Amino acid sequence: MDRDALSLFLSRHRGDLKPADVGLHAGPRRRAPGLRREEVAQLAQMSTDYYTRLEQGRSTQPSAQILSALARALRLSPDERDYLYRIAGLAAPDRSATGEYVAPALLRVLDRLSDTPALIVSLLGEILIQNAPAAALYGETSHLTGWERSEVYRWFAHPETARTLYPESDRDRQGRAQVASLRAALGLMGPHSRAAELVRELERVSPEFVTLWAEQRVQRRFADHKTLIHPELGEIEVDCQTLFTEDQTQALLVLSAAPRSEAESKLQMLSVVGIERFASGS
């Protein structure tokens, strides 16, 4: 671990970011350009004291999870992320594997979307990050680990809970779309990838998946019109638009509703009350 290099690297990249770059308000009393240490800590979900010690070269070696969170908070490119890992004394993560890294270009767009549900997902349907309206609509997923993070896995492994977001009349279509997207991911990622591992796992746990997989459907969804069911607000009719990274490995999903519709009002209510009200059941 090169503490001096780590200190300089963190400090420089913190100084290069403006609050607006990460979806924060600058406020009236900002003396110096760049983010404050407490803002980086907030974005990375760690204590300000711990981040300060990292930047001042007074910390023990950070874990891979900490470095991943910092790479996301500082909007690092893949090369910058790899460098961060190496100066911290860890091997750079495999770029072909899905982890916690989120493409900075998609993050910049997500940072500016606060009034409608938006989330960034991996090729395997893993929610990498979501804004508050999306969390209020889809539920909090940050606690999930392993294959449970994948929507397609949950769809077939836990149909009794994973499918309640959709009307029963649309579940067959959604299931087929999940399988077609997974086959497209397998074609992109290859036969020795995590996509292939997920296919084998689903074949083990779900006869329904085996039947649908045999249909050989391949399709990436760029847009969809669907109805989602919120436990408090009921049915919400939405349009879903997708923005992919250049390498097609991550996608930003943005949900919207027709102007002046009941669905638009419900989406606005999600933005106002957020996840806490619904999580508490009040």
Side-chain angles (χ1 to χ4, degrees):
M1 176 178 173
D2 188 335
R3 286 183 171 81
D4 290 340
L6 181 62
S7 173
L8 290 171
F9 186 79
L10 293 175
S11 178
R12 176 58 184 268
H13 282 274
R14 175 171 64 83
D16 285 344
L17 285 173
K18 298 178 181 179
D21 295 334
V22 295
L24 298 176
H25 295 292
R29 296 185 178 181
R30 188 171 295 269
R31 300 174 184 173
L35 297 180
R36 299 185 175 113
R37 286 172 177 163
E38 58 265 29
E39 291 170 335
V40 175
Q42 174 190 341
L43 292 168
Q45 297 184 327
M46 63 183 64
S47 72
T48 301
D49 178 68
Y50 180 75
Y51 176 77
T52 299
R53 285 188 283 116
L54 273 175
E55 193 175 291
Q56 292 179 344
R58 298 186 291 109
S59 173
T60 57
Q61 185 180 52
S63 67
Q65 290 78 11
I66 290 292
L67 296 176
S68 176
L70 286 172
R72 178 186 298 181
L74 295 172
R75 305 319 195 235
L76 300 183
S77 69
D79 289 339
E80 291 167 340
R81 178 196 60 167
D82 291 353
Y83 179 78
L84 173 66
Y85 273 74
R86 291 183 180 117
I87 60 177
L90 299 181
D94 182 1
R95 294 194 187 187
S96 65
T98 301
E100 298 298 327
Y101 180 76
V102 181
L106 294 188
L107 270 175
R108 286 194 292 270
V109 180
L110 181 67
D111 289 335
R112 287 158 175 78
L113 296 172
S114 59
D115 60 349
T116 195
L119 57 156
I120 298 175
V121 300
S122 74
L123 271 177
L124 304 183
E126 298 154 308
I127 295 180
L128 303 177
I129 188 171
Q130 57 185 342
N131 65 10
L137 181 59
Y138 285 93
E140 181 56 55
T141 61
S142 60
H143 63 286
L144 299 177
T145 59
W147 290 127
E148 295 290 340
R149 298 181 61 207
S150 168
E151 181 185 6
V152 62
Y153 176 83
R154 296 194 306 273
W155 185 270
F156 291 102
H158 310 298
E160 67 284 353
T161 56
R163 303 183 187 186
T164 58
L165 187 64
Y166 294 88
E168 189 171 352
S169 60
D170 194 36
R171 292 175 187 176
D172 181 68
R173 182 179 73 94
Q174 292 297 331
R176 280 181 159 78
Q178 296 271 11
V179 174
S181 293
L182 178 56
R183 189 174 286 279
L186 178 63
L188 182 64
M189 299 173 71
H192 304 293
S193 63
R194 291 183 70 244
E197 294 176 17
L198 179 54
V199 171
R200 290 192 293 270
E201 181 63 18
L202 286 171
E203 288 175 333
R204 185 183 69 82
V205 302
S206 174
E208 179 189 4
F209 173 82
V210 173
T211 299
L212 295 179
W213 188 252
E215 294 180 359
Q216 296 288 322
R217 297 175 185 269
V218 186
Q219 185 178 14
R220 297 293 298 277
R221 287 195 288 184
F222 294 89
D224 191 17
H225 181 84
K226 56 189 175 183
T227 297
L228 301 177
I229 303 175
H230 187 274
E232 298 289 337
L233 300 177
E235 292 189 354
I236 309 176
E237 190 174 348
V238 298
D239 291 304
C240 180
Q241 299 293 326
T242 306
L243 175 65
F244 287 96
T245 53
E246 184 176 1
D247 62 6
Q248 301 284 294
T249 60
Q250 294 182 5
L252 171 66
L253 310 183
V254 182
L255 276 62
S256 62
R260 297 174 296 281
S261 65
E262 181 183 4
E264 184 183 50
S265 298
K266 290 180 178 181
L267 291 184
Q268 290 171 349
M269 191 175 297
L270 287 175
S271 302
V272 172
V273 300
I275 190 173
E276 292 185 1
R277 175 180 174 183
F278 298 123
S280 65
S282 58

